[in-house]
């Protein structure tokens, strides 16, 4: 039997942060530089009067539909899907308006992932051998190998095996 | 730590079959009796010219939004949620138009289940101690205790621990 990999969406195969950076520039003239975001959650890099806007943006229909694909992810995930049982696992349930957008986005950019292997959830109580995720809370109680996909918010964490790019994932797993 | 239970939606807490019975009566004058459905998938109980209509119904927005709640399920699931970590796990991903309907239906009828504990998936590769489901394919590879919730299509199966009503679930698990 093939080993199973769970792959997160936001900040792992979908560039959610880039969309926020674009929106804050466009709507508020705010430039979110890598320096401002380093080691911080997005809300903690915003001026107080804009913190509520994060949730407003994220709850809008369409927010997740036109995200850029993370560089290299399509090619590497397609190769991984030859060798492993690849599941895309997103904690999408917090944002009901994201469900259809995320599913259509996957259909467009990762058409080789069948519906059987897509999981939208809250807690990731999944039974896989490997998980690739930018949120260490999703590693809690997970018995397999954890790969922390680098994102500005997690750059200060040191106690996890880390991957910075999809090329690095390929080197480790292919 | 509490034990975890995975509870399926269709035919377990939501009366999907009753909706079909209603629609076939209304739209086609076809009476689907318990005798016709006994031990059969719905499509196998239909005349050939109506088989395609199953998928048409199920893909319509709204199909899953107004399903009847299975008798006793609200009360028993709410009690289970005191003693166990209860997750609702539905193989909804096959029907993209069902996702929002199912989420809103859960919010209406099972508001005590938080978003963190809702899982829409294909294969149920979940890590729980118990699963209650009407489809034995979801027991494949599952390491915990399986409870087959009776539905006409599974009535001929004999090799599984079975529950016929939510009262029986309560007797076993509460």
């Amino acid at each position: 039997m093939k080993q199973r990999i769970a792959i997160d969406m936001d900040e792992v195969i979908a560039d959610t942060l880039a969309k926020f950076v674009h929106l804050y520039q466009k709507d508020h003239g705010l430039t979110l530089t890598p320096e401002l975001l380093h080691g911080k959650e997005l809300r903690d890099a915003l001026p107080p009067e804009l913190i509520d806007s994060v949730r407003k943006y994220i709850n809008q229909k369409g927010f997740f539909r036109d995200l850029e694909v993370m560089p290299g992810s399509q090619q590497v995930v397609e190769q991984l899907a030859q060798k492993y049982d690849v599941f895309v696992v997103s904690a999408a349930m917090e944002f009901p308006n994201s469900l259809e957008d995320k599913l259509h986005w996957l259909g467009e950019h990762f058409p080789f992932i069948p519906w059987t292997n897509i999981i939208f959830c809250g807690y990731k109580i999944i039974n896989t051998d490997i998980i690739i995720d930018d949120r260490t809370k999703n590693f809690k109680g997970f018995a397999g190998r954890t790969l922390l996909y680098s994102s500005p918010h997690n750059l200060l964490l040191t106690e996890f095996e880390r991957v910075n790019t999809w090329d690095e994932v390929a080197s480790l797993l292919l």
Side-chain angles (χ1 to χ4, degrees), chain A:
Chain A
M1 209 171 94
K2 287 177 180 176
Q3 282 202 309
R4 290 178 185 155
I5 308 185
I7 299 176
D8 182 33
M9 288 183 75
D10 297 311
E11 296 298 291
V12 175
I13 60 172
D15 199 344
T16 320
L17 186 58
K19 175 91 179 253
F20 277 119
V21 169
H22 168 74
L23 288 171
Y24 281 106
Q25 186 69 59
K26 181 171 74 75
D27 296 347
H28 302 283
L30 176 68
T31 305
L32 290 165
T33 62
E35 292 71 31
L36 270 173
L37 293 164
H38 189 90
K40 283 190 196 142
E41 295 296 336
L42 171 60
R43 62 181 172 273
D44 298 325
L46 294 172
E49 68 273 18
L50 288 182
I51 289 174
D52 286 348
S53 60
V54 176
R55 199 159 273 267
K56 216 180 74 191
Y57 279 136
I58 224 168
N59 281 322
Q60 271 171 6
K61 280 261 188 193
F63 178 87
F64 291 93
R65 184 60 188 89
D66 62 354
L67 301 182
E68 294 292 322
V69 179
M70 293 291 263
S73 62
Q74 286 161 307
Q75 297 78 0
V76 175
V77 174
E78 190 161 15
Q79 288 169 47
L80 287 172
Q82 307 297 314
K83 188 175 170 188
Y84 301 86
D85 268 343
V86 169
F87 290 82
V88 171
V89 184
S90 175
M93 219 52 80
E94 187 174 5
F95 307 108
N97 281 339
S98 78
L99 301 179
E100 287 189 7
D101 284 342
K102 279 176 175 265
L103 197 54
H104 293 140
W105 187 92
L106 283 171
E108 179 182 350
H109 299 293
F110 292 81
F112 47 86
I113 303 286
W115 67 265
T116 51
N117 290 36
I118 298 172
I119 301 176
F120 293 163
C121 58
Y123 294 138
K124 298 190 175 180
I125 56 154
I126 47 169
N127 192 0
T128 67
D129 301 285
I130 301 168
I131 185 170
I132 306 175
D133 208 298
D134 69 309
R135 297 272 167 198
T136 60
K137 69 177 177 184
N138 295 321
F139 299 164
K140 203 184 145 210
F142 182 76
R145 181 178 180 183
T146 62
L147 293 177
L148 181 64
Y149 199 92
S150 289
S151 173
H153 73 82
N154 68 32
L155 289 178
L156 301 182
L157 303 176
T158 55
E159 66 265 49
F160 299 93
E161 186 177 12
R162 180 184 288 279
V163 283
N164 294 295
T165 64
W166 277 95
D167 279 350
E168 287 187 23
V169 176
S171 301
L172 286 176
L173 299 182
L174 288 173

